[in-house]
Amino acid sequence: MSVLKRYSIFAVLWLLPAFAQSNNGQLRIKVTDPSGLGVQCPVHLTSQSNEDRKVLVTDKSGDVYFEHLPYGIYRLEIHKEGFAEVSKNLSVHSAVPLMLQIKLEIAPVKMSVIVKNKDTLVDPYQAGSSNQIGTNVLEARTNSLPGRSLQDLINTQPGWLYEGNAVLHPRGSEYQTQFVVDGIPLGENRSPGFGPEIEADDVSSLNIYTAGIPAEFGRKMGGIVEVNTISDVPAGLHGKIDLSGGSFDTAQGFAQLQYSQGKNTIGATAEGGLTARYLNPVVPQNFTNRGTTGDFSANYERQLSTSDQFNVVVRHELSRYLIPNEQIQQAAGQRQDADNFEDMGMVSYQHIISANAVANVRGMVRSDSNDLSSNELSTPVIAFQHNSFSEGYFSGSLSVHHGRHNWKAGAESDNVFLHENFSDHITNPSQFDDGTPSSFRFNSDRPDLEQSAYIEDSIALGRWNIQAGLRWDHYQLVVNQNAISPRLAVSRFFNTANLVLHVSYDRVFQTPSSENLLLASSPAVQSLNPSVLRLPVEPSHGNYYEAGLSKGFFGNMRLDANSFRRDFNNYADDDQLLNTAVSFPIAFRNAVIYGAEGKLEIPEWKRISGFASYSYIVGNVWFPVTGGLFLGDDALSARTQLAGHFPDSQDQRNTVRARVRYQPLSRLWFAFGGEYGSGLPFEFTGTIEQAIAQYGGTVVDRINFDRGRIRPSLSLDSSLSLDIYRHESRIVRVQADVQNLNNRLNIIDFGGLFSGNAIAPPRSYFLRLTSEF
């Protein structure tokens, strides 16, 4: 199908009703003097609950717009010489703009203002549980290797685990992380080995859901990560330059420029990086592991009128890298090259219908490709892949505030045109079942058509808050299915205890990963082996249950604790084709995952800030196999294994993370942290001698073959930051990080390439220089 024809279809689909996703609110303020004249002054917004802070200056008429505010409780402060200071709390929990008119009073001879930041520590209106990452955390984060700065931030949250090459797994879900970038959902795997990243420097805030998920979110439902890249900027030219480098010949650069004047805001970012440790290697020697990344984005925002706003964003992202070898492959001279390219254009339009209603429409087109090539010395198989897709997405929302209710309703249409091209040639037949052909080729196209509609309401009943929603989904690729998903979250706020109790239920409909789904579903794979089992991979249906609390202590400390359970039918997992780095989805009859999480957080207490978290997860998956491709002995096992269960691959019972930052001077801080993991389960069909030959004795020593578990991991880290220069909005800052101070050999996964062996970095050093103006 030609590109022109595809986008013609997109244009027709534009006529369908479509409604968008974005849990951001707006605040529009007018500041006047006692006579009613506009006052030009700075307006400060801070929130301990989402660790965010913003400062904008009113114009000559006294008007200022905060357009991109994550939901939460904010402290508003206005300081203007000659006038009494203003300090009050605001609740932002609706897409309908909050209009506020503030009349300054003449300052008395003596006055005192009591600022209670603790009032923003716990959000009494939050029915479900979510984690926010705001300005404070983003600025003080530790350095990351190219391709994973955003993933590293998310992985600090309780319930999230890495597997393989920075593949995020929320509460035991495989390939079910959904990034929602500026209101546009991206459902594919965004780890370094599958797709280019959006750099953390390009992010203004993150909002992360694993339960109590609003009905507007669907399809990939393990965890929802709202990524906001558009931020409110003061008038004039502002920018940021970030240069970093360190171990593994790593060097990165990021630059951002933003200009705001009147009704127009324009911005651009550029990023590039290179490293000799792009993926997690399969052996400590870190063979063949170089990678480069690049990213460019530009955005334009126009306030067409007081009621209408238009925004357009374009992005180009790329990564090129090598696939790490194990010892036998390195000795043979294997080299495998891979790359990812992505081009994206997003458009949004907002119209304020009235003081209580607002409509949003969004659209996106993008193209994405990833390639894999192997040299003639590759073993046991030479593999080539060229996969790509083009996508057209359209959505919109209608939000209405009425009395105690905040309504939101809409629909969306997502149309992806998949293309898969794979070929291989076996160089070591002894590694494969008898009858496996020496070469194989596959080339196919198919559209993935998905639509949805939803309605939800957030109801404030005194100290009770109810969030209820209903969602409909349609999925058509290999199978054709519809689903209805109710969602409900209820919370109760106890003011005297500064405590919120909450419970939630989410019915989820999860579509399978499209990565090589056409290949795994094609009758052509029947030729790969005399024994083949090929079953269509159907969407997963699941029920999420959670109960938890959020409690403030001493006005500066917050405890979030949750217990959860997830039940799935057609539980999604993944497998590899032959012995290549090509993965595809599979499914099992059902799974049960349960556990508990806790996070103690100090956003800011005198000179101290930080957090400590604990996660406990137990996951079991039940036979039989219900979807995917199985060859040879695996096909025989899948046919005969009709009962029993095994641990989920993310069944790490105990995970502890902590980081404490101390600021002895206004321009200086240092931090110390660490992470402990009790170890993931593994399955290795070979002997210990074979494992030593492939991966080395030091790796095998970190594996407990009797328990079928990787031995516990521990990594300690430290950071030091100094503001070399600071005046008003101009800052020059240097930050040094040491990671894995204890230099422990930490094994993430064991058992095979990509989703098998993965080794965390040894002791490493990084230095970052940041300049803002």
Side-chain angles (χ1 to χ4, degrees), residues 5 29 175 191 198 307 368 393 395 422 557 572 606 759 763:
K5 186 175 181 180
I29 301 174
Y175 292 158
S191 65
I198 295 174
S307 301
D368 192 288
Y393 172 88
S395 68
F422 171 82
M557 182 185 299
K606 296 181 180 179
I759 298 175
R763 183 187 297 131

Side-chain angles (χ1 to χ4, degrees), residues 4 23 113 133 254 314 340 381 482 529 609 761:
L4 179 60
N23 280 306
V113 176
I133 297 178
F254 174 84
V314 294
N340 297 288
V381 61
N482 294 273
N529 195 283
S609 61

Side-chain angles (χ1 to χ4, degrees), residues 42-53:
V43 178
H44 299 253
L45 277 185
T46 58
S47 174
Q48 286 186 300
S49 63
N50 58 31
E51 298 188 343
D52 201 8
R53 65 178 186 274

Side-chain angles (χ1 to χ4, degrees), residues 560-744:
D560 294 295
N562 304 296
S563 63
F564 66 89
R565 178 185 172 99
R566 291 181 166 188
D567 301 331
F568 297 94
N569 293 320
N570 292 319
Y571 177 70
D573 209 322
D574 72 316
D575 201 355
Q576 273 68 48
L577 182 63
L578 303 177
N579 281 341
T580 69
V582 175
S583 67
F584 57 87
I586 59 176
F588 295 88
R589 186 188 71 187
N590 66 283
V592 175
I593 299 170
Y594 62 90
E597 303 164 355
K599 184 178 182 181
L600 187 64
E601 191 165 13
I602 304 175
E604 187 175 1
W605 191 354
K606 296 181 180 179
R607 298 179 178 182
I608 297 175
S609 61
F611 74 91
S613 70
Y614 171 75
S615 299
Y616 173 76
I617 295 179
V618 177
N620 286 295
V621 182
W622 273 262
F623 290 105
V625 167
T626 57
L629 172 66
F630 300 87
L631 305 173
D633 293 340
D634 290 338
L636 178 62
S637 176
R639 286 192 179 97
T640 57
Q641 186 78 51
L642 302 179
H645 63 85
F646 59 93
D648 174 54
S649 59
Q650 291 81 51
D651 178 81
Q652 179 162 278
R653 302 298 169 89
N654 302 287
T655 305
V656 180
R657 299 183 177 106
R659 179 175 169 85
V660 177
R661 186 175 64 170
Y662 178 70
Q663 188 158 3
L665 302 172
S666 62
R667 297 190 178 192
L668 174 71
W669 62 259
F670 58 87
F672 183 80
E675 177 175 347
Y676 166 85
S678 58
L680 294 173
F682 72 91
E683 181 179 355
F684 185 73
T685 56
T687 65
I688 294 180
E689 290 72 21
Q690 289 173 326
I692 293 173
Q694 283 183 277
Y695 310 120
T698 56
V699 172
V700 173
D701 287 343
R702 299 294 303 147
I703 306 300
N704 190 327
F705 285 90
D706 294 332
R707 295 185 63 238
R709 291 266 175 179
I710 299 168
R711 298 190 189 278
S713 63
L714 176 65
S715 177
L716 303 177
D717 312 295
S718 65
S719 301
L720 176 68
S721 176
L722 174 66
D723 289 354
I724 301 172
Y725 174 81
R726 187 172 64 191
H727 179 69
E728 296 180 345
S729 63
R730 295 185 291 276
I731 298 174
V732 178
R733 176 181 298 124
V734 62
Q735 179 176 327
D737 299 306
V738 183
Q739 300 175 12
N740 196 359
L741 268 167
N742 48 324
N743 202 29
R744 184 166 181 159

Side-chain angles (χ1 to χ4, degrees), residues 22-95:
S22 182
N23 280 306
N24 282 338
Q26 299 181 40
L27 174 62
R28 300 190 171 192
I29 301 174
K30 187 174 187 65
V31 182
T32 64
D33 64 15
S35 66
L37 296 177
V39 175
Q40 194 167 16
C41 61
V43 178
H44 299 253
L45 277 185
T46 58
S47 174
Q48 286 186 300
S49 63
N50 58 31
E51 298 188 343
D52 201 8
R53 65 178 186 274
K54 298 178 184 291
V55 181
L56 293 179
V57 178
T58 59
D59 60 21
K60 294 180 180 179
S61 300
D63 295 317
V64 64
Y65 293 175
F66 292 87
E67 301 284 356
H68 310 283
L69 293 177
Y71 286 176
I73 301 295
Y74 289 85
R75 166 66 60 174
L76 167 69
E77 296 180 29
I78 298 177
H79 308 277
K80 177 68 174 177
E81 186 176 353
F83 294 93
E85 296 183 358
V86 175
S87 180
K88 61 189 303 182
N89 284 351
L90 302 173
S91 171
V92 179
H93 289 91
S94 172

